[in-house]
Amino acid sequence: MKHPYLTDDHEIFRRSLRKFLEKEAYPYYEQWEEERMIPRTFWTKMGEQGYLCPDIDEKYGGSEVDWGFAVVINEELERVGSGLVGVGLHNDIVVPYITAYGTEDQKKRWLPKCTTGEIITAIAMTEPGTGSDLANIQTTAILDGDHYLLNGQKTFITNGIQSDLVVVACKTDPKANPKHKGVSLLVVERDTPGFSRGRKLNKVGLHCQDTAELIFEDCRVPKGNLLGEEGKGFLYLMEKLQQERLLVAIAAQTAAEVMLKQTIDYVKSREAFGKPVSKFQNTQFKIVEMATEIEMGRAFLDQLIAEHIEGKEVVTKVSMAKWKLTDSARKIAGECMQLHGGYGYMEEYEIARRFRDIPVASIYAGTNEIMKTIIAKNLGL
């Protein structure tokens, strides 16, 4: 049966990318985990090979390829490790805000360096007191002549330490009613006066992915750095969250596939009571249950990606995929660790890292509880 979106070109691209990662990522990943940072040199190498923002217009340094290539990139990065999520955030979450809502001048200023890795991007929505409720963010940006005075704090910001360009959700009209109409998006550049980094956060998992607090104290952001129109930031966020949540689903599905393969290999080689662990009925049933769930998840996800590429409105299905596939991956991580026995609890086995990394997928990009709320609303409940 014909694949719903992958072609021979995508598979050729995948082989090339995998070869690149086998040389530039796999050998160093554990070192990056220990150092709690992915070096900028990896970003620039990705850029040199055309793996950063490949879908954007050629005049800005992209290749104008379809989004299927982005899926391949995100899958292959996840196979290396979940800590590479910051690359997908740059390529497929932050940069699309600039391509969709930026002026021609903004695109010329920022996009070419986004494709080379000279500019690493981040998006700052979450605040210490505000998570999924974006209409109630407290960060303000008050116009003062040709600049906005930006004040507030953001937390849990992916690429927070290394970012050179941060799309900040803020209130340009704190008194707006309804509240969401006061939200706007400002682009803050590295070294802007009043912009500083807080702590590099110490997380349970995703150790090599830098996550940080960002602080804005009378940060003077040029008026020309407003992204799109004032007061439309909330609508922009809602439009782009579909793709962000789809990326999380893709990563979760890929992680589940990787964990299952590793576990099958392990139970075949590990012996107990004189025979491979794979020969015990309980092991076989557990493996079969996981394989079936993963296969069904992949079928749903691939069709969903195809619909997204076609430009269809698939918010309900994306919300379903985000909660179901992340929840499934978290359960599969636990089952796979159990089948590894005591060795599954040892850092030398990759399943231990996967077990730490996967739970956050149920939380970021909107919690799974929020996903269920969206689904319920769209079902007319």
Side-chain angles (χ1 to χ4, degrees):
M1 187 171 68
K2 184 181 178 183
H3 194 280
Y5 66 89
L6 290 179
T7 65
D8 289 344
D9 287 342
H10 293 108
E11 293 306 334
I12 292 169
F13 179 80
R14 187 190 299 277
R15 289 195 292 272
S16 174
L17 173 59
R18 191 171 289 179
K19 187 176 180 181
F20 166 81
L21 293 173
E22 285 170 353
K23 179 183 177 184
E24 302 292 349
Y26 281 98
Y28 308 108
Y29 192 80
E30 290 304 322
Q31 178 186 338
W32 297 346
E33 285 276 286
E34 291 174 10
E35 294 174 350
R36 298 296 202 265
M37 188 72 75
I38 295 166
R40 290 188 73 103
T41 51
F42 177 72
W43 285 83
T44 54
K45 287 175 181 176
M46 287 279 289
E48 287 168 3
Q49 298 300 316
Y51 299 136
L52 295 181
C53 316
D55 55 328
I56 70 173
D57 198 302
E58 285 185 358
K59 67 180 179 180
Y60 305 123
S63 303
E64 294 187 55
V65 294
D66 68 71
W67 202 67
F69 288 88
V71 176
V72 170
I73 291 171
N74 282 283
E75 286 177 341
E76 293 305 314
L77 290 174
E78 178 61 38
R79 290 185 196 282
V80 180
S82 300
L84 287 166
V85 65
V87 178
L89 177 123
H90 170 83
N91 282 356
D92 303 303
I93 298 173
V94 188
V95 168
Y97 280 96
I98 299 171
T99 57
Y101 311 118
T103 64
E104 186 61 24
D105 177 63
Q106 289 172 338
K107 291 175 185 178
K108 287 178 179 177
R109 283 168 59 198
W110 298 322
L111 290 181
K113 290 185 178 180
C114 288
T115 67
T116 62
E118 293 173 79
I119 285 180
I120 296 174
T121 63
I123 185 162
M125 291 184 267
T126 303
E127 298 179 354
T130 309
S132 298
D133 187 9
L134 293 175
N136 276 315
I137 57 174
Q138 300 300 306
T139 299
T140 59
I142 307 303
L143 195 58
D144 178 31
D146 291 333
H147 290 76
Y148 287 96
L149 280 181
L150 183 64
N151 283 282
Q153 292 185 37
K154 299 290 183 178
T155 193
F156 308 144
I157 308 306
T158 303
N159 295 344
I161 295 296
Q162 299 215 79
S163 54
D164 307 288
L165 207 64
V166 184
V167 176
V168 180
C170 54
K171 287 281 184 74
T172 47
D173 183 3
K175 296 180 181 179
N177 187 17
K179 293 179 180 179
H180 73 267
K181 290 192 174 181
V183 177
S184 300
L185 301 181
L186 283 183
V187 181
V188 180
E189 299 171 83
R190 177 183 286 278
D191 300 326
T192 300
F195 170 36
S196 61
R197 326 272 167 158
R199 294 180 301 148
K200 181 177 180 293
L201 301 173
N202 190 21
K203 308 184 295 298
V204 171
L206 303 182
H207 288 163
C208 65
Q209 195 286 306
D210 71 286
T211 307
E213 298 172 325
L214 304 182
I215 301 164
F216 306 98
E217 299 174 296
D218 286 337
C219 178
R220 295 186 62 81
V221 183
K223 189 177 178 181
N225 282 27
L226 174 70
L227 202 56
E229 298 179 37
E230 262 196 23
K232 291 193 174 180
F234 187 84
L235 295 177
Y236 299 156
L237 292 169
M238 292 304 101
E239 287 175 9
K240 293 301 177 186
L241 276 170
Q242 173 172 302
Q243 183 159 295
E244 180 174 354
R245 288 164 180 165
L246 185 52
L247 284 173
V248 177
I250 291 167
Q253 176 68 25
T254 305
E257 292 168 355
V258 169
M259 290 186 288
L260 179 63
K261 182 181 184 304
Q262 290 174 345
T263 303
I264 290 173
D265 290 343
Y266 179 80
V267 297
K268 283 181 175 179
S269 64
R270 175 71 172 167
E271 289 196 358
F273 302 100
K275 60 181 178 180
V277 174
S278 62
K279 296 302 179 183
F280 290 96
Q281 189 181 64
N282 178 70
T283 301
Q284 293 174 352
F285 283 8
K286 292 291 186 183
I287 293 288
V288 166
E289 289 165 7
M290 289 189 287
T292 302
E293 188 154 352
I294 287 171
E295 191 69 27
M296 293 173 72
R298 172 54 71 178
F300 178 67
L301 180 63
D302 280 349
Q303 189 56 48
L304 177 57
I305 292 169
E307 291 178 22
H308 177 68
I309 291 173
E310 290 171 10
K312 294 182 179 179
E313 196 277 334
V314 286
V315 170
T316 303
K317 288 183 180 179
V318 166
S319 301
M320 289 174 173
K322 196 275 181 184
W323 90 256
K324 181 60 178 175
L325 295 180
T326 59
D327 195 59
S328 176
R330 185 172 55 180
K331 291 174 183 175
I332 286 168
E335 293 283 9
C336 288
M337 176 180 271
Q338 186 73 17
L339 287 171
H340 275 74
Y343 287 104
Y345 203 64
M346 299 296 110
E347 288 290 346
E348 64 196 81
Y349 280 82
E350 188 179 323
I351 190 62
R353 164 163 58 82
R354 295 283 178 179
F355 182 82
R356 289 197 315 270
D357 287 347
I358 203 64
V360 73
S362 299
I363 299 171
Y364 57 25
T367 66
N368 282 4
E369 291 73 23
I370 292 292
M371 296 304 100
K372 292 175 186 178
T373 302
I374 293 170
I375 296 163
K377 180 182 177 181
N378 291 349
L379 290 176
L381 301 177

